[in-house]
Structure formats: structure tokens, C-alpha cells
Amino acid sequence: MKLVGLMGQFAVFGGILAGVTTLAGAQTTTDATASTDTLSERGVAHPELWPKYHYPVVTPMDEERHVEDLLARMTLEEKIGQLVQADICCATPDDIRKYHIGSILVGGSDGPNGNDFAPAPEWLKTADAYYLASVDKRDGGVGIPVIWGIDAVHGNSNIIGATIFPHNIGLGAARNPELIEKIGAATAQEIRVTGQEWTFAPTVTVPQDYRWGRAYEGYSSDPKLVASYVGAMVRGLQGPPGQRDLLARDKVIASTKHFLADGGTKNGVDQGDADISEQELRDIHGLPYGPAIENGVATVMTSFSSWQGVKMAGNKSLVTGVLKGQMDFGGFVVTDWNAHGQIKGCTNDSCPKALEDGIDMYMAPNTWKPIYEDLLKRAKAGEIPMSRIDDAVLRILRVKSRLGVFTAGKPSSRPLSGKWDILGSPAHRAIAREAVRESLVLLKNQGVLPLKPGGRLLVAGEGTDDIARQSGGWTISWQGTGLDNSMFPGATSLWTGLKHAVEAGGGTAQLSPDGSFTQRPDAAIVVFGEKPYAEFQGDRATLALDADLTGPYKTMAELKAQGIPVVAVMITGRPLYVNQALNAADAFVVAWLPGSEGEGLADVLIGDAQGHARYDFKGKLPTAWPKTPSMADGALYPYGYGLNYESPPQAWKPLPEVKTAITNDNHVWFTAGQPASSWSLLVNDGNGTANETRITTVPATALGGRVTISATDYKVQEGARRFSVSNGLVAVALRNFNAIDLRRETNAKVMLLLTARVWQAPESAEISSVGTGGTGAIQIPLDATDHFVRYGIPLECLAQKGADIQALTEPFVLTTTGKTDFAIGEIRLGTDAEKVLPCK
């Protein structure tokens, strides 16, 4: 048998065997005569080889006449405006009126009035302002209402107070399409409360490599499981396939994403290339689009990624030929954030090719104006066919007509708007709690679970009482960072849920992150796992938990050594190598990213007074679990594995434990006193490499004794490096073995983060990034502090100053003048700066 489309070291997650079930659990029968890759141009699909579907949405004759009449009366400027989506950060209501913009993007990183944490009423008030500007006809225009797009990917998750449902990987473990439809319906209602009408969900990716930072957005590595969920979620969000006038009801329009094969990129690199056969592209990654189209999904978002080297937003054979042609998709196609700029021959400011190849709306958040002006200029010059412009505009107008936006009035006047009691309502929280219960996967139970509620329970681990951490990325902020429990009113942490359940049974619970206790507990629950991340910020080098997150392993071992039963609960967006925790614990539960309703964990773990389970484990692994940090070594637990309380007792054979790297996060360059693998920490005089010292051990000296390097504590003992400078010009630099490309991070407004403490401020300080084609530098205030501060420098600022962002050889250089004394605790990329430095 021949394995089709081997995905590097992750074939077990999703490669297709002809007529044979893979380790990921997907069974697909393929036609050996259907593959024409060897005879064809790379990156060009053959629509006739793809399945046909029927798009069930038919625009009634009167509505079709209405949109065609609008199109006939629209000026070219109005038509081009409809093809553009701008971000709330970068377009005012007056811009919407003046340029006739078709859609506004909100959430993730930007909220009303520049406040990502704006209260719900501000979101509704802002929605009104943009709507009223869009329908203003004082300039003689037709006044097409604007629609709002929002990443409500696990509930209306940008809004404080909303119900946060488990991320998709957890829902995939639940194996319950009916529950998925209920979640979609609840999410739609909560979106409507704040005045939005379009969510960029559901994500129907089929992840094949769980090193990918977006893997938790996919339900499963099995395309059949993903496909079984898609129709249910679309119906939950939009209603029945043929339903219209959604704004008169409690529905929104949906968007399946990301077309196509974002989960199939080589090595799991976000925005990378899926170098796979057309057969694999169709049978794995294309499969979920069938139920999406047959259930009338209103929009489809293209991926940042490419197939066989051709970016999806510029692949006419797939967008026009397969999706709109063979698959009969009748809605409109939108790009991802500035993804058009990655198409060959394009920039963020100019890309007519995307429209020509089938894109209908450009998501151009901060580049909307140059895109608008470029499209308008080219349309006037006859460089873009009017037939393609009219087709794109008609598709957008038909979706808006189906939505009912032409007659619904301003957002605050629509059903459900401003009904704040719906946001995070008890009914919705009950659905989320059910989803948490059903998503839990039991990997090990040596007779410990369920726990009796009447005894003393110790709850340990750093993530136990942290709702943001249990919710993951795409929660209030893009990365899900910079949050605390006060920003989740009405939500319940895992700790609080456990405490309530134990106390309700007459027992006591103690919260102790480090595992210490005042009274010996009858049992201990130790929570550990990943911290929040989103998109490429979560890309991994291997499937191993970061070393700085493994501290709870020691806690488990110490508790077990005292004869205390230990239950490990893992918060994670993907399966990871955690054999040490599996060995140390008496029971092991995967909680995934459960969201705001932490009581769902206690429902299953804490039994009744007689020691019987109140709820059993139902979750099954949505993908295989790794035996080592490399899936090339095989699966420890296969797809579909999961114990319950009826499972027969199993003797535990200790698992092999292997050493893992200091960090697997490609965006952490310096931590725990050490640079990332293949990087060097250097000290020089700022005038080149001739007088340079590589710092490998401390204490050390450099520049003839002008600099003394020592260790100081940060997070862990000796986790930072301290630089004491007596005088002169000194540069502390990180040099990487291979030049790195940070264009995608720069596009996404990511920052270079420096965590530092300053005992004596220098006369002046400068941070720079050095690339093969140029250096960018900014002066920074490095004032004396009594603690470590996380400074942020926007990458786009360094790019503006001349840094060659796509080929950085020394991404971080800190240059000081004069006597100074400072320590560096961490250098990484991210968005959670405590102090953003001005771009001067």
C-alpha cells in the first residue's frame, strides 16, 4: 500500500491510505485515476475531479430585482467600496460614508474607540455610528448598509461578559453534532446583542500537524468528523439553509475558513505551503466544504497559506473553478487579514489579481484606502473587467439582502440588540458547561476517579484559577493574554467549580499553586498545560510542552511520594508529549481549552456522596496523542481513544521520559538565561564583530573588563542576565544562525518584547534589528526600575525605520552609552507589552 501525501513526521495524523483507516481515524476511498498532479502545472486544480454540490440559497425575484437595481444605480466608486473591508482601528464612520466601504472588521486586537476591552454597550453604540454613516445618502449615493465581521470563534468571545465555549478541538472530542448546533445558535444570539451580524466561523480546517499554532481551531484531524460538524454549526448560526431575513430573527451570517488546506502546511507552519497532491487536497481538506455549501454558508474566507506554492487568495483554479464553479458556492469570498499582499506580484496596497482570481471582498484592515484607490484607478483604466467587479458586488449585495440589512434599520433597533441579559445568560452557560463535560478525555485512571466530595481536596497548579488561561487565544484579545478573572463576569474558573462541588458535598478544598498544604488532603488535583496563543504565535518546533510550564510535574511527584492520590488536568490546544505527568499522576484528564464554564470539569471529576459518578467521561481523542515530542515516533494513544468509568482497570507501565528543548516556541529568543537553540548572546562595542564576546556561561567579562555579565533571578533562579557597564558604547545582541523572516508578524502588529530591569539608567539607549538589507533602530527611554518591565517595540516601527524584516540576522540589539546596570529576563515576540515604546 502506498501512503498518499506523506506530511513529514505527521503522516499519522491524516495521510490517506486507499480504502484503509489511518492512525488519525479517517477512512477515505480514493480513485487512483483521479490524480493528475504529475501531468499538470503545480498549484493548478482540476475542478472536474472535485465533487459537485448544490447551493440551496435562492434570491427571491423581488429581492434580485432590488439588488440589480442598486447595482445599476451605483457609481464605480460605490462598487469598489463594497469590495473592501476596513478595520475599526483604521476607518472612521466618515470614511465609511465617503468611500462606501462594504464591511467593518472588529475584535481580535481592536475595539470601539481603540479600547479592546470596551463594555458591551459601547460595541452596540459604535455599530450604530458606522451603520448610520453607511446609509447616509446626502452625497446622492445609494447608501448600502455596512456589515460587521467579527471573530466570534468560540462564543462572542471578543466581548466581556459573553459565554466562552470550548475551542473546537475540545468540541471535536465531544462527538456531538446536536450540541454543536446549540452552541452556534447561542453564539448567534450573543453576537446580535452587541449589534454585529457576521462571524468568521466555523473554522473547518483539518489539522494534520499539531505543531501548527491554529490547530485548536480545528475539530479534528479526521475530515469525516469535521464534516459531520460543519452543517450543524452553520445551521446554528444562520438557521435552516433557505432561511432569509436573518436580522428579523436571532441569526447571523457565517463564514467557513480557511479555504483551503491551512491545516495541511509543511511542518505545521502557519501561513505556509501545503505541498500535497490534489487528491489529498480534495479528500481531506476539501471534504468539510460540502456540508457548508449544502447548508447555505453565506461567506467563505480564503487562507493565508498556499497549495503547491500558489497562495490561496490568488488561486483562480480553486476559488473560481472549484469553489464557485464545481461546488456551486453562491455566497461571497473574503480574504484573510491582508492576505492579498502575499500573492505573487502583489503588495498590501495593490492586488488586482485577487479580484480577478475570484476574491469578492478584500480584508484590508489598515490598508483599505490604498487598496480602494488602486482598484478604482485600475477599474477606470479598464485593467479590471467590469463584469468581474459587478459579479463581486452582486454576490455581496445578495448576501446583504439575505441577511435583511436593507430593511432592518440601525443595529440598536433590531431584535436582541441591547438585551444584556442574553449575554452570558444562564441558558447559554449551561450549554457551555455541558460542552466542557462532554469534551473531557480520560487517558488514565488508576481507580482514583471519581473523587468523593466529602473529604479534603487540594487543588494545585498555576492555571487552576485563571479563566483566561483555560479559555485560550481569541478570547477578548487576539492572543488571549493581558487578562485577569475580573474581565470574565459570571464565568467560573476550574478552581471555583471544584471548590463548589466539594463544599456542596460537605468537604473542603484548598487552593495552593505550588502544592503545599496546611492539612493533609485526601486527594489532589494538579492543573497544568499551555498558556494562551493564537495563529503563528503558537507554532511549535516539536510537540513538547515548554520547559517553563512543567513545574507542576514536580508538584505531582512530591504529592504522590507522600501517598496522596494525584489527578492531573491538562489545559491544552493540542496533544503534547507529557509522559512525565502521565507517569506521576494516578489519573490524567485532558480538558483542552474549556472556556468560561469551569464547573463542567467538577461535574465529571467529583462524584456523589456514595462515590458514584454524577457524569461519565464521553470525550474521545480528536487526533492521535504523541509518544515522544515527534509524531514520527508514533502514537501513544490513537485517534478515538478515551476511557470512562466503565473501562476495566489497567495496569500502568511507566512511559519512557525523554529530554525536551528549553523552549519550543519559535517566538521566544531568550529565556531562563539562555538564547534559543542555534542563537547566540553577544556583547560588542557597537562597531562590528571584531571586538565581540559570546556569552555562554556566567560570570563573564567583555570589552577589556568594561562589561561584567552575571546571573540574577527572573521567574526562576538565575533566569536573567545582568550587564554592568562601566563606560562607553556597548551593544548586547542576539544573532541567529539563519536569517528569519518576520513579515507575517509585522503584518499582524506583533511587537518585539524586551523584559528588563534597570538599576542605573544609561546616558542613552537604542534598540535595533539588523537584516541583510537594512537596519532599523529607535531610541528608547531605559529608566531605572525596582522590578522587571516588559517593553514593547512594534515590528512595523522597526520596519518603517529601515529594518529588513524578511531577512533579520540580528533581530535584537540593545546599544547603550555611558555607565549603566541592567538585566535582561526575556526577549520574544508578542502583543502583551506592559509599556509600549514610542516609535520615534
Side-chain angles (χ1 to χ4, degrees):
M1 291 180 292
K2 180 181 178 182
L3 189 63
V4 180
L6 186 63
M7 294 294 291
Q9 57 178 312
F10 287 81
V12 293
F13 278 126
I16 292 181
L17 287 168
V20 179
T21 302
T22 69
L23 289 180
Q27 185 173 353
T28 305
T29 302
T30 57
D31 180 357
T33 65
S35 178
T36 59
D37 292 349
T38 57
L39 304 175
S40 307
E41 182 182 353
R42 282 177 57 80
V44 177
H46 302 82
E48 69 276 9
L49 302 180
W50 291 67
K52 288 179 176 289
Y53 301 110
H54 170 66
Y55 193 65
V57 181
V58 178
T59 306
M61 190 174 297
D62 58 335
E63 291 187 32
E64 183 66 17
R65 283 196 295 263
H66 176 238
V67 296
E68 289 180 353
D69 176 65
L70 287 174
L71 182 71
R73 293 190 288 119
M74 291 170 73
T75 64
L76 182 58
E77 288 78 3
E78 288 175 303
K79 292 178 180 180
I80 297 300
Q82 287 300 298
L83 308 183
V84 177
Q85 182 182 67
D87 192 89
I88 191 174
C89 72
C90 309
T92 65
D94 193 57
D95 289 328
I96 302 305
R97 179 193 60 78
K98 182 177 180 180
Y99 294 96
H100 319 287
I101 300 302
S103 176
I104 281 289
L105 172 67
V106 70
S109 297
D110 301 293
N113 305 310
N115 180 12
D116 203 23
F117 307 142
E122 285 299 311
W123 290 74
L124 183 56
K125 180 180 178 181
T126 304
D128 272 356
Y130 281 85
Y131 169 86
L132 293 172
S134 71
V135 297
D136 188 336
K137 301 179 183 179
R138 287 178 294 178
D139 62 356
V142 297
I144 306 296
V146 71
I147 56 174
W148 287 72
I150 188 168
D151 276 297
V153 294
H154 61 140
N156 194 8
S157 50
N158 294 271
I159 309 298
I160 291 175
T163 307
I164 309 298
F165 295 93
H167 266 298
N168 283 357
I169 190 170
L171 299 181
R175 305 291 205 278
N176 189 340
E178 292 181 2
L179 176 62
I180 298 303
E181 187 164 347
K182 289 196 294 184
I183 290 172
T187 300
Q189 290 182 355
E190 296 204 15
I191 293 171
R192 291 291 302 278
V193 170
T194 51
Q196 287 73 54
E197 59 268 288
W198 177 18
T199 176
F200 302 132
T203 304
V204 301
T205 184
V206 188
Q208 302 298 289
D209 187 329
Y210 279 76
R211 292 176 295 179
W212 182 37
R214 305 193 76 156
Y216 64 78
E217 296 184 50
Y219 296 115
S220 173
S221 59
D222 178 354
K224 290 187 177 180
L225 176 56
V226 177
S228 74
Y229 273 18
V230 176
M233 181 59 80
V234 171
R235 289 191 303 274
L237 292 166
Q238 296 187 166
Q243 184 167 280
R244 307 188 64 79
D245 203 7
L246 307 188
L247 293 181
R249 297 173 171 81
D250 57 355
K251 299 300 181 183
V252 298
I253 53 174
S255 183
T256 44
K257 64 182 185 182
H258 303 88
F259 189 84
L260 188 62
D262 53 340
T265 61
K266 185 177 181 181
N267 298 324
V269 173
D270 190 45
Q271 303 184 22
D273 183 44
D275 192 8
I276 58 179
S277 69
E278 184 172 359
Q279 189 174 347
E280 190 171 351
L281 182 73
R282 178 195 67 195
D283 294 344
I284 294 180
H285 305 283
L287 189 67
Y289 284 87
I293 290 168
E294 292 185 332
N295 279 276
V297 69
T299 69
V300 170
M301 183 186 294
T302 54
S303 178
F304 279 114
S305 61
S306 58
W307 173 55
Q308 295 185 354
V310 180
K311 285 291 180 178
M312 289 294 171
N315 194 316
K316 189 171 186 176
S317 68
L318 284 169
V319 177
T320 298
V322 171
L323 180 63
K324 291 182 173 181
Q326 184 78 349
M327 289 185 171
D328 193 36
F329 173 61
F332 72 80
V333 180
V334 62
T335 67
D336 208 332
W337 179 291
N338 278 337
H340 58 270
Q342 298 185 11
I343 298 171
K344 186 177 181 180
C346 292
T347 66
N348 285 358
D349 295 348
S350 173
C351 190
K353 186 178 186 330
L355 181 64
E356 293 164 1
D357 289 343
I359 294 301
D360 301 308
M361 182 179 285
Y362 291 75
M363 186 187 290
N366 53 354
T367 59
W368 64 268
K369 191 171 183 180
I371 277 291
Y372 170 91
E373 292 173 340
D374 183 74
L375 288 173
L376 181 62
K377 179 184 70 175
R378 293 177 185 275
K380 287 181 175 179
E383 297 177 23
I384 305 174
M386 276 304 303
S387 59
R388 175 74 271 266
I389 293 173
D390 285 350
D391 173 62
V393 175
L394 266 177
R395 285 175 172 269
I396 293 167
L397 294 180
R398 288 185 185 121
V399 169
K400 289 186 175 185
S401 178
R402 175 187 177 191
L403 178 63
V405 74
F406 291 114
T407 57
K410 64 182 181 180
S412 63
S413 69
R414 302 169 187 168
L416 276 62
S417 292
K419 294 188 180 300
W420 312 119
D421 58 334
I422 294 176
L423 201 65
S425 70
H428 292 170
R429 292 190 184 279
I431 296 170
R433 184 170 174 174
E434 177 187 359
V436 174
R437 287 196 298 266
E438 297 199 8
S439 67
L440 302 174
V441 177
L442 181 63
L443 296 183
K444 178 183 181 181
N445 185 20
Q446 299 297 98
V448 175
L449 293 174
L451 298 174
K452 292 183 179 181
R456 287 190 295 270
L457 178 67
L458 177 69
V459 183
E462 57 187 17
T464 305
D465 193 25
D466 190 335
I467 300 171
R469 185 161 176 180
Q470 72 191 43
S471 298
W474 298 109
T475 304
I476 301 181
S477 67
W478 173 37
Q479 293 291 319
T481 54
L483 312 172
D484 58 50
N485 285 358
S486 68
M487 306 177 84
F488 295 88
T492 306
S493 70
L494 300 180
W495 151 248
T496 302
L498 291 165
K499 179 176 182 288
H500 288 169
V502 170
E503 291 179 345
T508 61
Q510 178 184 351
L511 176 63
S512 174
D514 65 359
S516 59
F517 51 83
T518 53
Q519 283 187 297
R520 178 183 173 85
D522 297 308
I525 293 176
V526 182
V527 180
F528 78 106
E530 292 190 295
K531 289 184 176 180
Y533 55 83
E535 296 191 63
F536 47 79
Q537 289 289 96
D539 281 3
R540 316 295 295 164
T542 69
L543 286 176
L545 189 65
D546 282 344
D548 64 347
L549 299 176
T550 61
Y553 293 178
K554 182 180 179 182
T555 302
M556 295 178 205
E558 290 175 345
L559 290 168
K560 189 172 182 178
Q562 298 174 69
I564 299 169
V566 174
V567 179
V569 174
M570 186 176 182
I571 299 171
T572 183
R574 56 188 140 204
L576 293 172
Y577 166 77
V578 288
N579 285 10
Q580 192 172 344
L582 280 159
N583 283 333
D586 297 290
F588 192 102
V589 178
V590 186
W592 310 108
L593 298 170
S596 61
E597 307 313 302
E599 292 155 311
L601 176 71
D603 288 344
V604 182
L605 267 59
I606 309 298
D608 60 21
Q610 288 73 42
H612 300 138
R614 294 182 294 151
Y615 295 90
D616 203 349
F617 284 92
K618 293 185 177 180
K620 304 296 181 184
L621 287 179
T623 190
W625 194 276
K627 183 183 299 183
T628 75
S630 171
M631 272 308 303
D633 295 326
L636 178 63
Y637 298 110
Y639 167 90
Y641 184 85
L643 304 174
N644 59 34
Y645 287 134
E646 300 299 320
S647 299
Q650 295 179 326
W652 182 257
K653 183 180 178 180
L655 301 172
E657 297 178 7
V658 300
K659 291 183 179 180
T660 57
I662 291 176
T663 178
N664 288 296
D665 188 340
N666 299 325
H667 296 97
V668 177
W669 301 342
F670 181 88
T671 188
Q674 298 293 328
S677 177
S678 79
W679 290 49
S680 297
L681 176 64
L682 308 162
V683 175
N684 60 53
D685 60 7
N687 294 309
T689 61
N691 192 11
E692 185 171 78
T693 301
R694 181 183 176 206
I695 308 303
T696 56
T697 60
V698 290
T701 60
L703 300 178
R706 283 199 297 121
V707 184
T708 299
I709 303 97
S710 59
T712 190
D713 294 345
Y714 173 69
K715 289 188 176 180
V716 297
Q717 187 175 4
E718 299 189 352
R721 292 295 174 261
R722 184 170 180 173
F723 302 84
S724 299
V725 180
S726 61
N727 61 78
L729 188 71
V730 171
V732 177
L734 283 175
R735 183 175 301 143
N736 46 314
F737 186 75
N738 296 308
I740 59 173
D741 184 349
L742 297 183
R743 283 177 292 183
R744 61 178 184 173
E745 289 83 353
T746 304
N747 182 44
K749 301 183 180 180
V750 173
M751 291 182 281
L752 171 60
L753 299 176
L754 163 67
T755 302
R757 179 181 177 184
V758 182
W759 285 269
Q760 180 170 343
E763 294 174 11
S764 65
E766 175 186 275
I767 286 182
S768 58
S769 289
V770 180
T772 57
T775 299
I778 62 169
Q779 295 290 322
I780 64 168
L782 206 58
D783 301 323
T785 58
D786 61 359
H787 61 284
F788 279 89
V789 177
R790 189 164 58 253
Y791 301 94
I793 305 99
L795 291 175
E796 59 185 0
C797 174
L798 292 169
Q800 292 167 10
K801 298 296 183 182
D804 184 7
I805 290 295
Q806 65 179 327
L808 292 175
T809 53
E810 289 187 357
F812 172 85
V813 182
L814 172 61
T815 305
T816 63
T817 56
K819 186 175 182 179
T820 183
D821 189 4
F822 63 89
I824 296 176
E826 193 171 62
I827 301 168
R828 62 180 173 89
L829 300 180
T831 58
D832 55 333
E834 295 172 332
K835 183 177 181 180
V836 179
L837 298 173
C839 187
K840 294 182 180 179

